[in-house]
Amino acid sequence: MLYALGSNGAGQLGIGGRDDANTPRQCHFDVLSDIHEPPIQIAAGGNHTLVLFKSGSLYSVGSNTGGRAGHATSQQWIETLQMIKIGATSTRIKLCSATWEASVIVTEADEVYTCGTGLRGELGRKAASSQPSKLPEFPPDGTNIVGMSSCVSHTVVVLSTGEVYGWGNGRYGQLGEPPQIVWEPRKIENLKFKVVRAVCGNDFTYLVGSPQQGYHAVLGSDKWSIRSNVPAKNLDWQDIGASWGSIIVLKRSGKIESWGRNDHGQLAPRDLPELNRIAVGSEHVLALTLLGRVLTWGWGEHGNCGPHTDQMGDVKDGWKEILLNLSNRDAKPTMIAAGCATSFIWI
C-alpha cells in the first residue's frame, strides 16, 4: 500500500481532502486492479502527483488546472488517484516527470506526451495542451528514451545513445547553450561523456556517466555553489537526486555525498546508518536503511518530514525517523519518493 505525508493543499497526497499531514496516511486509488508491487516512479509538480506502476498504468492526483494532471479540465481538483489514459487504447507508460504546472509522459513506444501550462517552454512546444498531446518527431529515429527528469520549469531526457535533450526554461544554461527559453526538444551539445542519468534542480541540471568512469557535470546557475563545489569525479554512485538547490549522491557503499544549499539542513547529516535508497524532494530528503527504517532531513514545514521539526519546520544537523503505525509488524517499506514538500512510502 502507498502512504503519504506533507503538503496537501490541492489534494496532491491522494489521501482524501486537502489538509496537510505530518504522519503517513494511506493513499486512495479510484481503480487499482492487479497492482501488488510498489510504484516504479513517483513524480511531483507544484501541486500535483504522478504515480507509475510496472504494469504501465499511470495515476495522478492533485491540482488539474490547465489539465496538468492529465484529465479533463472540468476536474480542477482530484483527491483520489485516477488513471491517466493516452489515446483510445490502453497505452503502457514507462516514464513520467512533472514541472510545476505540467506533466511529461513517455510511453513504451517512446512517444512523449505533455499536458498542462507551458509559459516557459515546459510542454516542449508553444501551444498549450489541456490533455496529453504528443511531441512530434521526438526522440530522433533509432534512439530510445532511457531516463527523464523535470524540475520547476525545465525537462531533460537521456537517450540510449548517451545524448541529452531538453526543453523549458534554460535561461541559466541548464539546457546548454545558448541560455534561453527552449520551446521544443533541443540537444545539449559539447558533452564530453556518455550520459546515463540526469536530474534537475530549480535552475541547474546534473548529468552523470557510468559509475565506473565517474564523469559528471552540472549545467546552469552556480547559486549555492552547486557548480563550483562539484567533486572532480562521481565514482561508484548507486543513485542520484536533486532538490531545488542541492545534489545528493548515494554511493554503492551506502554512504551519501552531497553539496549545495543547506540553510534548511538539506545536505546529508553526519552519522547516517548504511542506506540502500534515497528520494530527494524540493528541499528535503528521504532515505531507506538496510533495516527498513525511513529517515528524513531538510525542510519539513508542511509535515513532509514528520511531526518532529524545529520551530522553523526544519530537520537540521541530524535526521528523524518517520514512524509507520502498522498493524502488521513484519511489513517493511520497499519504495520511497519525495516531491514538493511531499513524501511517499510504499509498504
Side-chain angles (χ1 to χ4, degrees):
M1 291 185 291
L2 185 63
Y3 292 82
L5 63 160
S7 178
N8 195 42
Q12 62 265 45
L13 295 182
I15 59 176
R18 283 182 256 162
D19 293 326
D20 291 357
N22 64 9
T23 57
R25 295 177 57 185
Q26 186 176 344
C27 300
H28 304 295
F29 292 79
D30 63 341
V31 176
L32 190 61
S33 60
D34 299 323
I35 297 176
H36 305 292
E37 296 181 350
I40 60 172
Q41 195 175 7
I42 296 179
N47 292 289
H48 71 291
T49 304
L50 306 175
V51 180
L52 175 62
F53 288 91
K54 187 177 180 180
S55 64
S57 298
L58 178 64
Y59 294 78
S60 67
V61 71
S63 172
N64 191 45
T65 303
R68 69 187 67 175
H71 300 285
T73 53
S74 58
Q75 296 179 273
Q76 183 178 4
W77 309 102
I78 301 170
E79 296 182 2
T80 59
L81 285 137
Q82 298 182 11
M83 186 182 295
I84 297 176
K85 295 181 179 180
I86 305 293
T89 59
S90 298
T91 302
R92 290 170 62 94
I93 309 303
K94 73 174 186 178
L95 291 170
C96 65
S97 66
T99 65
W100 191 262
E101 297 178 323
S103 296
V104 187
I105 301 165
V106 180
T107 70
E108 287 195 342
D110 283 300
E111 297 174 329
V112 180
Y113 290 79
T114 61
C115 55
T117 302
L119 299 180
R120 290 175 289 183
E122 294 95 329
L123 298 180
R125 60 179 179 274
K126 291 187 177 180
S129 180
S130 60
Q131 60 184 4
S133 298
K134 182 182 173 183
L135 296 187
E137 300 179 0
F138 184 79
D141 290 341
T143 67
N144 302 108
I145 297 174
V146 298
M148 182 170 67
S149 178
S150 300
C151 196
V152 175
S153 58
H154 76 289
T155 295
V156 293
V157 169
V158 180
L159 302 184
S160 53
T161 57
E163 299 171 304
V164 181
Y165 282 72
W167 60 87
N169 184 7
R171 289 176 172 171
Y172 293 95
Q174 61 265 50
L175 297 174
E177 299 295 331
Q180 61 186 187
I181 289 179
V182 180
W183 291 100
E184 58 187 23
R186 184 183 77 179
K187 183 179 177 181
I188 298 178
E189 302 284 0
N190 300 317
L191 297 176
K192 302 183 185 303
F193 59 94
K194 181 178 179 179
V195 176
V196 299
R197 184 81 186 277
V199 290
C200 297
N202 186 29
D203 47 20
F204 67 88
T205 301
Y206 182 48
L207 308 173
V208 298
S210 71
Q212 295 76 25
Q213 294 181 320
Y215 298 130
H216 62 159
V218 180
L219 308 179
S221 169
D222 194 32
K223 190 174 183 180
W224 311 106
S225 299
I226 198 72
R227 285 173 47 221
S228 56
N229 282 345
V230 64
K233 283 199 170 185
N234 180 10
L235 291 164
D236 295 323
W237 62 270
Q238 176 182 340
D239 197 5
I240 61 172
S243 71
W244 285 348
S246 57
I247 292 172
I248 313 292
V249 178
L250 176 63
K251 298 289 189 174
R252 289 176 176 172
S253 64
K255 303 297 184 182
I256 284 185
E257 185 173 24
S258 59
W259 66 96
R261 185 175 183 178
N262 197 38
D263 55 334
H264 293 282
Q266 297 95 319
L267 300 186
R270 297 179 180 179
D271 301 323
L272 282 166
E274 189 173 348
L275 307 173
N276 64 3
R277 286 181 181 268
I278 58 169
V280 184
S282 53
E283 298 292 2
H284 76 294
V285 180
L286 296 185
L288 187 61
T289 73
L290 294 179
L291 298 177
R293 300 166 65 195
V294 179
L295 311 183
T296 185
W297 61 88
W299 182 67
E301 183 179 359
H302 289 279
N304 45 294
C305 292
H308 304 298
T309 61
D310 64 21
Q311 292 181 344
M312 302 301 294
D314 298 334
V315 177
K316 297 177 69 172
D317 303 319
W319 46 267
K320 299 292 185 181
E321 182 175 358
I322 295 179
L323 299 177
L324 306 168
N325 186 17
L326 302 175
S327 56
N328 181 1
R329 294 183 179 274
D330 294 327
K332 297 290 185 183
T334 57
M335 188 268 190
I336 52 175
C340 294
T342 55
S343 300
F344 298 89
I345 304 166
W346 177 274
I347 302 170

